[in-house]
Amino acid sequence: MKHPSLADLRMYLDHELPPEPHADVERHVANCRDCAEQIETLAARSQRVQRRLSHLDPDAAQTSRPARQQLKRLKMKEMVPVKKTFALPRAAWVALTVVVVLAVAMAFQPVRALAGNLLGLFRVQQVTTLAVDTSYLNSLHQTAGEAISKLFKDSVNETRAWQEPKYTEDAAQAGEWAGFAVRELLPPAEDTQYNVDFGSAFTFTVDVERANATLEAMGSVDLQLPADVDGAQVYVDVPASVSTYMPCDYSNEADRYKCLNFMQMPSPSITTDSPVDLPELAALGLQVMGLGEAQAVEMAATIDWQSTLVIPIPYGGVQAQTITVDGVSGQLLTREIEEMPEFALVWARDGMLYVLQGSGDPQYALSLVGGSK
Amino acid sequence: MSFFTRSNRRDRLSESDFNPIFLEYWDRIYRVAYRLTGDPTEAEDLALETFTRLWQQPPAAAENLGGWLYRVACNLGYNALRASRRREQYESQAGSDARDDGHEATPERESETRMERRKVRRVLRQMNERQAQILILRHAGLSYREIAAALELNPASIGNLLVRAEQQFEKLYEGEES
């Protein structure tokens, strides 16, 4: 009697055999004790392993937010260059968003809005990083995330509709779509692709009640917004960006250093129709992110908040190093993942924000942009 | 992974093609990511990264995008699993620091489940990557044909590979007992 192989028995057990072979095995097993026992052994082991693996399944508290919301998030993510390159932990972005919101709301003065007189609140001229301990935010993500989404849900209005990105191999065409002349930093090559993302613009209205609830949910019960900032209007504009992808063969390790992605965009801007006190707001925001009051006030005073993009870097995640790049001071961010080290060069110059990302050693990338550590 | 291979021109996915795929697969990809990372935030970010790659750099072959998504999610998840060893060391150090500080211990049952999860993840991490991925995808409910498509294997070999993966899992799991 020819016994089925172990693989066949397993396929039989999982109903993965075509009908005829399945029937053959079934007939055989009915008359062969050894094979019947073998199947029992396979079944028992499979069940044990499945039971252990099911410990990893998410339970009710760990399911993800609805797919539609995630889709929206993905599209929003595309607009913020540093996030696209690094997928910073969401807690860090929560912190940054809160800083922006609170920065605007907290120092509002009850002055009459002057029609047509929008004061520039934030326009990037330089980039720096700030090490933060976001572990407490991670543990609160469920409550904080819900509170923050409530904060924004009804008050955000898109003023420029989402437009599908466009692709071209012609730099001039990309520049025409994006509204600025594309800077070519990567070596010219056949097959270079330019991806134009049209960004977005939106307004939001400050809702003090919800903002305070958000702060409470994040554990910052002492920090509350004054009532007179309720209803303040904030305008956020994320301009179009152009990403250049260098053609390369990622699967070939020797070639991988060439797999670079260069993103450029005019600085995002945040404006409002009333004057604001930025260091005061920033100090509040830094306290939300876990700094003590004295340290927050001191740090807030040393950064030019109106022109500096501060990238929050959670401990143990990304390493940040100040470097010279393209004739200005910028940041080299590196992520240590055992299999694939990655880096991103981030800098701002002449009102433009640049991000150059890749894998492995950043030496080649640095050489392209006049960079040195 | 060959996301950057550009030997063939690829048709980019339009929004009308991408959105339905996203909505159809999101939950399943999230769950795969969650099983490997153990953290909802990280799992969401990893799942989003998976779909972002599909959108920005879709594979040359338009069919079986589902399998492609599973493969990318498994790869990213397995990398995260390997990277988490360092974080675990940091956390267990923080945990022992907390105990030294006299902080209250978590409820016993909750910490048992957490320990079991960590143990299972440790076992997966020690396994050969391909074997770990087969177990994860099988547990996610994929058929042999779907697993083969996702991992670019011959469907006829899945039965054998599954048996060996389960044997290896048990061996390592029992080894962790001590």
mmCIF file of all heavy atoms in Angstrom, chain A residues 91-129:
data_model
loop_
_atom_site.group_PDB
_atom_site.id
_atom_site.type_symbol
_atom_site.label_atom_id
_atom_site.label_comp_id
_atom_site.label_asym_id
_atom_site.label_seq_id
_atom_site.Cartn_x
_atom_site.Cartn_y
_atom_site.Cartn_z
ATOM 1 N N ALA A 91 2.235 59.208 17.674
ATOM 2 C CA ALA A 91 2.254 60.030 18.880
ATOM 3 C C ALA A 91 3.050 61.304 18.647
ATOM 4 O O ALA A 91 2.687 62.368 19.128
ATOM 5 C CB ALA A 91 2.838 59.236 20.051
ATOM 6 N N ALA A 92 4.133 61.199 17.902
ATOM 7 C CA ALA A 92 4.941 62.392 17.638
ATOM 8 C C ALA A 92 4.146 63.382 16.809
ATOM 9 O O ALA A 92 4.222 64.591 17.010
ATOM 10 C CB ALA A 92 6.230 62.003 16.919
ATOM 11 N N TRP A 93 3.349 62.895 15.894
ATOM 12 C CA TRP A 93 2.553 63.796 15.060
ATOM 13 C C TRP A 93 1.391 64.367 15.832
ATOM 14 O O TRP A 93 0.987 65.506 15.590
ATOM 15 C CB TRP A 93 2.097 63.086 13.789
ATOM 16 C CG TRP A 93 3.264 62.959 12.902
ATOM 17 C CD1 TRP A 93 4.004 61.848 12.672
ATOM 18 C CD2 TRP A 93 3.899 64.022 12.197
ATOM 19 N NE1 TRP A 93 5.052 62.156 11.855
ATOM 20 C CE2 TRP A 93 5.032 63.464 11.551
ATOM 21 C CE3 TRP A 93 3.632 65.381 12.046
ATOM 22 C CZ2 TRP A 93 5.871 64.228 10.764
ATOM 23 C CZ3 TRP A 93 4.481 66.132 11.250
ATOM 24 C CH2 TRP A 93 5.582 65.559 10.627
ATOM 25 N N VAL A 94 0.848 63.588 16.724
ATOM 26 C CA VAL A 94 -0.180 64.131 17.616
ATOM 27 C C VAL A 94 0.407 65.306 18.373
ATOM 28 O O VAL A 94 -0.195 66.370 18.461
ATOM 29 C CB VAL A 94 -0.667 63.027 18.586
ATOM 30 C CG1 VAL A 94 -1.401 63.632 19.761
ATOM 31 C CG2 VAL A 94 -1.543 62.036 17.860
ATOM 32 N N ALA A 95 1.600 65.096 18.907
ATOM 33 C CA ALA A 95 2.248 66.156 19.683
ATOM 34 C C ALA A 95 2.451 67.396 18.834
ATOM 35 O O ALA A 95 2.175 68.509 19.254
ATOM 36 C CB ALA A 95 3.583 65.663 20.245
ATOM 37 N N LEU A 96 2.914 67.200 17.613
ATOM 38 C CA LEU A 96 3.185 68.342 16.736
ATOM 39 C C LEU A 96 1.895 69.071 16.390
ATOM 40 O O LEU A 96 1.834 70.295 16.387
ATOM 41 C CB LEU A 96 3.873 67.854 15.464
ATOM 42 C CG LEU A 96 4.367 68.945 14.505
ATOM 43 C CD1 LEU A 96 5.314 69.876 15.216
ATOM 44 C CD2 LEU A 96 5.038 68.307 13.308
ATOM 45 N N THR A 97 0.867 68.310 16.107
ATOM 46 C CA THR A 97 -0.426 68.928 15.779
ATOM 47 C C THR A 97 -0.933 69.733 16.954
ATOM 48 O O THR A 97 -1.395 70.865 16.792
ATOM 49 C CB THR A 97 -1.463 67.837 15.442
ATOM 50 O OG1 THR A 97 -0.908 66.974 14.479
ATOM 51 C CG2 THR A 97 -2.735 68.453 14.935
ATOM 52 N N VAL A 98 -0.822 69.163 18.122
ATOM 53 C CA VAL A 98 -1.300 69.862 19.307
ATOM 54 C C VAL A 98 -0.510 71.145 19.510
ATOM 55 O O VAL A 98 -1.071 72.185 19.817
ATOM 56 C CB VAL A 98 -1.190 68.949 20.552
ATOM 57 C CG1 VAL A 98 -1.437 69.741 21.815
ATOM 58 C CG2 VAL A 98 -2.179 67.814 20.438
ATOM 59 N N VAL A 99 0.796 71.080 19.300
ATOM 60 C CA VAL A 99 1.617 72.280 19.454
ATOM 61 C C VAL A 99 1.125 73.362 18.505
ATOM 62 O O VAL A 99 0.972 74.511 18.878
ATOM 63 C CB VAL A 99 3.108 71.972 19.180
ATOM 64 C CG1 VAL A 99 3.902 73.263 19.068
ATOM 65 C CG2 VAL A 99 3.669 71.112 20.284
ATOM 66 N N VAL A 100 0.864 72.986 17.280
ATOM 67 C CA VAL A 100 0.399 73.966 16.289
ATOM 68 C C VAL A 100 -0.940 74.558 16.716
ATOM 69 O O VAL A 100 -1.128 75.756 16.728
ATOM 70 C CB VAL A 100 0.276 73.308 14.900
ATOM 71 C CG1 VAL A 100 -0.473 74.212 13.950
ATOM 72 C CG2 VAL A 100 1.649 72.978 14.362
ATOM 73 N N VAL A 101 -1.866 73.704 17.077
ATOM 74 C CA VAL A 101 -3.198 74.179 17.471
ATOM 75 C C VAL A 101 -3.121 75.080 18.683
ATOM 76 O O VAL A 101 -3.663 76.175 18.705
ATOM 77 C CB VAL A 101 -4.122 72.977 17.770
ATOM 78 C CG1 VAL A 101 -5.418 73.450 18.393
ATOM 79 C CG2 VAL A 101 -4.394 72.221 16.497
ATOM 80 N N LEU A 102 -2.432 74.602 19.685
ATOM 81 C CA LEU A 102 -2.349 75.375 20.915
ATOM 82 C C LEU A 102 -1.548 76.648 20.712
ATOM 83 O O LEU A 102 -1.854 77.680 21.286
ATOM 84 C CB LEU A 102 -1.726 74.534 22.028
ATOM 85 C CG LEU A 102 -2.575 73.341 22.455
ATOM 86 C CD1 LEU A 102 -1.840 72.521 23.481
ATOM 87 C CD2 LEU A 102 -3.906 73.797 22.989
ATOM 88 N N ALA A 103 -0.517 76.534 19.868
ATOM 89 C CA ALA A 103 0.303 77.710 19.594
ATOM 90 C C ALA A 103 -0.565 78.832 19.044
ATOM 91 O O ALA A 103 -0.405 79.985 19.404
ATOM 92 C CB ALA A 103 1.411 77.364 18.608
ATOM 93 N N VAL A 104 -1.467 78.488 18.204
ATOM 94 C CA VAL A 104 -2.328 79.509 17.629
ATOM 95 C C VAL A 104 -3.359 80.000 18.635
ATOM 96 O O VAL A 104 -3.593 81.185 18.789
ATOM 97 C CB VAL A 104 -3.053 78.924 16.389
ATOM 98 C CG1 VAL A 104 -4.135 79.862 15.932
ATOM 99 C CG2 VAL A 104 -2.050 78.674 15.289
ATOM 100 N N ALA A 105 -3.956 79.067 19.320
ATOM 101 C CA ALA A 105 -5.088 79.429 20.168
ATOM 102 C C ALA A 105 -4.697 80.136 21.450
ATOM 103 O O ALA A 105 -5.345 81.081 21.867
ATOM 104 C CB ALA A 105 -5.867 78.162 20.495
ATOM 105 N N MET A 106 -3.622 79.672 22.056
ATOM 106 C CA MET A 106 -3.333 80.105 23.423
ATOM 107 C C MET A 106 -3.064 81.592 23.546
ATOM 108 O O MET A 106 -3.464 82.218 24.518
ATOM 109 C CB MET A 106 -2.124 79.317 23.956
ATOM 110 C CG MET A 106 -1.889 79.494 25.427
ATOM 111 S SD MET A 106 -3.347 79.045 26.393
ATOM 112 C CE MET A 106 -2.762 79.396 28.016
ATOM 113 N N ALA A 107 -2.327 82.151 22.597
ATOM 114 C CA ALA A 107 -1.915 83.541 22.788
ATOM 115 C C ALA A 107 -2.776 84.524 22.012
ATOM 116 O O ALA A 107 -2.377 85.646 21.779
ATOM 117 C CB ALA A 107 -0.464 83.705 22.394
ATOM 118 N N PHE A 108 -3.947 84.084 21.610
ATOM 119 C CA PHE A 108 -4.856 85.025 20.932
ATOM 120 C C PHE A 108 -5.188 86.190 21.832
ATOM 121 O O PHE A 108 -5.468 86.040 22.987
ATOM 122 C CB PHE A 108 -6.168 84.293 20.593
ATOM 123 C CG PHE A 108 -6.272 84.011 19.152
ATOM 124 C CD1 PHE A 108 -5.577 82.958 18.602
ATOM 125 C CD2 PHE A 108 -7.035 84.814 18.327
ATOM 126 C CE1 PHE A 108 -5.652 82.697 17.250
ATOM 127 C CE2 PHE A 108 -7.109 84.546 16.979
ATOM 128 C CZ PHE A 108 -6.427 83.497 16.436
ATOM 129 N N GLN A 109 -5.144 87.352 21.266
ATOM 130 C CA GLN A 109 -5.566 88.514 22.039
ATOM 131 C C GLN A 109 -6.917 88.955 21.516
ATOM 132 O O GLN A 109 -7.185 88.904 20.316
ATOM 133 C CB GLN A 109 -4.536 89.627 21.895
ATOM 134 C CG GLN A 109 -3.227 89.286 22.610
ATOM 135 C CD GLN A 109 -2.089 90.147 22.136
ATOM 136 O OE1 GLN A 109 -2.306 91.276 21.718
ATOM 137 N NE2 GLN A 109 -0.872 89.627 22.186
ATOM 138 N N PRO A 110 -7.745 89.406 22.399
ATOM 139 C CA PRO A 110 -9.093 89.795 21.960
ATOM 140 C C PRO A 110 -9.085 91.128 21.200
ATOM 141 O O PRO A 110 -9.584 92.121 21.658
ATOM 142 C CB PRO A 110 -9.864 89.882 23.268
ATOM 143 C CG PRO A 110 -8.836 90.183 24.302
ATOM 144 C CD PRO A 110 -7.555 89.555 23.842
ATOM 145 N N VAL A 111 -8.468 91.094 20.007
ATOM 146 C CA VAL A 111 -8.471 92.317 19.186
ATOM 147 C C VAL A 111 -9.404 92.103 18.015
ATOM 148 O O VAL A 111 -9.682 90.988 17.605
ATOM 149 C CB VAL A 111 -7.058 92.656 18.658
ATOM 150 C CG1 VAL A 111 -6.128 92.976 19.804
ATOM 151 C CG2 VAL A 111 -6.526 91.516 17.835
ATOM 152 N N ARG A 112 -9.826 93.218 17.449
ATOM 153 C CA ARG A 112 -10.734 93.122 16.313
ATOM 154 C C ARG A 112 -9.954 92.679 15.109
ATOM 155 O O ARG A 112 -8.888 93.207 14.812
ATOM 156 C CB ARG A 112 -11.356 94.494 16.080
ATOM 157 C CG ARG A 112 -12.794 94.440 15.682
ATOM 158 C CD ARG A 112 -13.427 95.773 15.628
ATOM 159 N NE ARG A 112 -12.492 96.874 15.471
ATOM 160 C CZ ARG A 112 -12.857 98.138 15.634
ATOM 161 N NH1 ARG A 112 -14.091 98.429 15.971
ATOM 162 N NH2 ARG A 112 -11.982 99.102 15.473
ATOM 163 N N ALA A 113 -10.447 91.707 14.419
ATOM 164 C CA ALA A 113 -9.757 91.226 13.227
ATOM 165 C C ALA A 113 -9.788 92.315 12.165
ATOM 166 O O ALA A 113 -10.810 92.918 11.918
ATOM 167 C CB ALA A 113 -10.441 89.977 12.704
ATOM 168 N N LEU A 114 -8.631 92.578 11.578
ATOM 169 C CA LEU A 114 -8.565 93.602 10.533
ATOM 170 C C LEU A 114 -8.804 92.924 9.198
ATOM 171 O O LEU A 114 -8.089 92.002 8.829
ATOM 172 C CB LEU A 114 -7.207 94.285 10.541
ATOM 173 C CG LEU A 114 -6.857 94.954 11.875
ATOM 174 C CD1 LEU A 114 -5.402 95.394 11.899
ATOM 175 C CD2 LEU A 114 -7.777 96.136 12.098
ATOM 176 N N ALA A 115 -9.798 93.369 8.501
ATOM 177 C CA ALA A 115 -10.175 92.707 7.250
ATOM 178 C C ALA A 115 -9.011 92.685 6.285
ATOM 179 O O ALA A 115 -8.367 93.700 6.061
ATOM 180 C CB ALA A 115 -11.362 93.434 6.630
ATOM 181 N N GLY A 116 -8.740 91.519 5.725
ATOM 182 C CA GLY A 116 -7.696 91.382 4.704
ATOM 183 C C GLY A 116 -6.294 91.504 5.234
ATOM 184 O O GLY A 116 -5.340 91.533 4.457
ATOM 185 N N ASN A 117 -6.116 91.514 6.544
ATOM 186 C CA ASN A 117 -4.764 91.688 7.068
ATOM 187 C C ASN A 117 -4.325 90.398 7.757
ATOM 188 O O ASN A 117 -4.448 90.247 8.956
ATOM 189 C CB ASN A 117 -4.742 92.863 8.055
ATOM 190 C CG ASN A 117 -3.322 93.156 8.522
ATOM 191 O OD1 ASN A 117 -2.367 92.563 8.030
ATOM 192 N ND2 ASN A 117 -3.207 94.065 9.463
ATOM 193 N N LEU A 118 -3.860 89.445 6.971
ATOM 194 C CA LEU A 118 -3.441 88.156 7.537
ATOM 195 C C LEU A 118 -1.975 88.216 7.915
ATOM 196 O O LEU A 118 -1.127 88.527 7.109
ATOM 197 C CB LEU A 118 -3.655 87.039 6.507
ATOM 198 C CG LEU A 118 -5.106 86.774 6.133
ATOM 199 C CD1 LEU A 118 -5.175 85.677 5.088
ATOM 200 C CD2 LEU A 118 -5.896 86.358 7.348
ATOM 201 N N LEU A 119 -1.700 87.942 9.143
ATOM 202 C CA LEU A 119 -0.310 87.989 9.604
ATOM 203 C C LEU A 119 0.344 86.627 9.401
ATOM 204 O O LEU A 119 -0.207 85.612 9.777
ATOM 205 C CB LEU A 119 -0.264 88.338 11.095
ATOM 206 C CG LEU A 119 -0.928 89.658 11.468
ATOM 207 C CD1 LEU A 119 -0.896 89.869 12.960
ATOM 208 C CD2 LEU A 119 -0.226 90.803 10.755
ATOM 209 N N GLY A 120 1.499 86.604 8.795
ATOM 210 C CA GLY A 120 2.211 85.339 8.630
ATOM 211 C C GLY A 120 2.609 84.812 9.994
ATOM 212 O O GLY A 120 3.284 85.485 10.751
ATOM 213 N N LEU A 121 2.170 83.641 10.322
ATOM 214 C CA LEU A 121 2.481 83.072 11.628
ATOM 215 C C LEU A 121 3.665 82.114 11.542
ATOM 216 O O LEU A 121 4.486 82.035 12.443
ATOM 217 C CB LEU A 121 1.240 82.330 12.152
ATOM 218 C CG LEU A 121 1.393 81.660 13.499
ATOM 219 C CD1 LEU A 121 1.564 82.705 14.575
ATOM 220 C CD2 LEU A 121 0.176 80.812 13.806
ATOM 221 N N PHE A 122 3.742 81.412 10.456
ATOM 222 C CA PHE A 122 4.729 80.343 10.391
ATOM 223 C C PHE A 122 5.141 80.099 8.956
ATOM 224 O O PHE A 122 4.326 79.784 8.117
ATOM 225 C CB PHE A 122 4.102 79.072 10.967
ATOM 226 C CG PHE A 122 5.007 77.878 10.884
ATOM 227 C CD1 PHE A 122 6.078 77.737 11.734
ATOM 228 C CD2 PHE A 122 4.778 76.900 9.935
ATOM 229 C CE1 PHE A 122 6.904 76.633 11.650
ATOM 230 C CE2 PHE A 122 5.594 75.793 9.846
ATOM 231 C CZ PHE A 122 6.654 75.663 10.706
ATOM 232 N N ARG A 123 6.412 80.258 8.710
ATOM 233 C CA ARG A 123 6.923 79.958 7.381
ATOM 234 C C ARG A 123 8.350 79.429 7.594
ATOM 235 O O ARG A 123 9.136 80.047 8.267
ATOM 236 C CB ARG A 123 6.953 81.241 6.535
ATOM 237 C CG ARG A 123 6.941 80.997 5.059
ATOM 238 C CD ARG A 123 6.632 82.279 4.292
ATOM 239 N NE ARG A 123 5.231 82.648 4.383
ATOM 240 C CZ ARG A 123 4.282 82.178 3.578
ATOM 241 N NH1 ARG A 123 4.562 81.322 2.647
ATOM 242 N NH2 ARG A 123 3.037 82.579 3.721
ATOM 243 N N VAL A 124 8.632 78.296 7.038
ATOM 244 C CA VAL A 124 9.889 77.619 7.376
ATOM 245 C C VAL A 124 11.092 78.308 6.757
ATOM 246 O O VAL A 124 11.147 78.506 5.556
ATOM 247 C CB VAL A 124 9.853 76.158 6.890
ATOM 248 C CG1 VAL A 124 11.162 75.469 7.246
ATOM 249 C CG2 VAL A 124 8.697 75.409 7.512
ATOM 250 N N GLN A 125 12.039 78.628 7.624
ATOM 251 C CA GLN A 125 13.325 79.091 7.116
ATOM 252 C C GLN A 125 14.447 78.180 7.566
ATOM 253 O O GLN A 125 15.495 78.145 6.953
ATOM 254 C CB GLN A 125 13.597 80.533 7.583
ATOM 255 C CG GLN A 125 12.749 81.550 6.806
ATOM 256 C CD GLN A 125 12.806 82.921 7.424
ATOM 257 O OE1 GLN A 125 13.798 83.264 8.053
ATOM 258 N NE2 GLN A 125 11.745 83.692 7.264
ATOM 259 N N GLN A 126 14.251 77.491 8.644
ATOM 260 C CA GLN A 126 15.261 76.512 9.053
ATOM 261 C C GLN A 126 14.585 75.341 9.751
ATOM 262 O O GLN A 126 13.411 75.405 10.076
ATOM 263 C CB GLN A 126 16.315 77.142 9.986
ATOM 264 C CG GLN A 126 15.756 77.715 11.267
ATOM 265 C CD GLN A 126 15.673 79.223 11.204
ATOM 266 O OE1 GLN A 126 16.165 79.827 10.267
ATOM 267 N NE2 GLN A 126 15.045 79.834 12.196
ATOM 268 N N VAL A 127 15.398 74.308 9.948
ATOM 269 C CA VAL A 127 14.863 73.051 10.474
ATOM 270 C C VAL A 127 15.684 72.635 11.682
ATOM 271 O O VAL A 127 16.906 72.720 11.664
ATOM 272 C CB VAL A 127 14.960 71.946 9.394
ATOM 273 C CG1 VAL A 127 14.432 70.638 9.924
ATOM 274 C CG2 VAL A 127 14.205 72.353 8.153
ATOM 275 N N THR A 128 15.035 72.193 12.719
ATOM 276 C CA THR A 128 15.781 71.636 13.839
ATOM 277 C C THR A 128 14.990 70.465 14.417
ATOM 278 O O THR A 128 13.894 70.171 13.971
ATOM 279 C CB THR A 128 16.050 72.717 14.919
ATOM 280 O OG1 THR A 128 16.942 72.163 15.889
ATOM 281 C CG2 THR A 128 14.766 73.107 15.632
ATOM 282 N N THR A 129 15.566 69.774 15.380
ATOM 283 C CA THR A 129 14.863 68.643 15.964
ATOM 284 C C THR A 129 14.799 68.804 17.470
ATOM 285 O O THR A 129 15.544 69.576 18.069
ATOM 286 C CB THR A 129 15.581 67.309 15.676
ATOM 287 O OG1 THR A 129 16.912 67.382 16.192
ATOM 288 C CG2 THR A 129 15.645 67.037 14.190
#
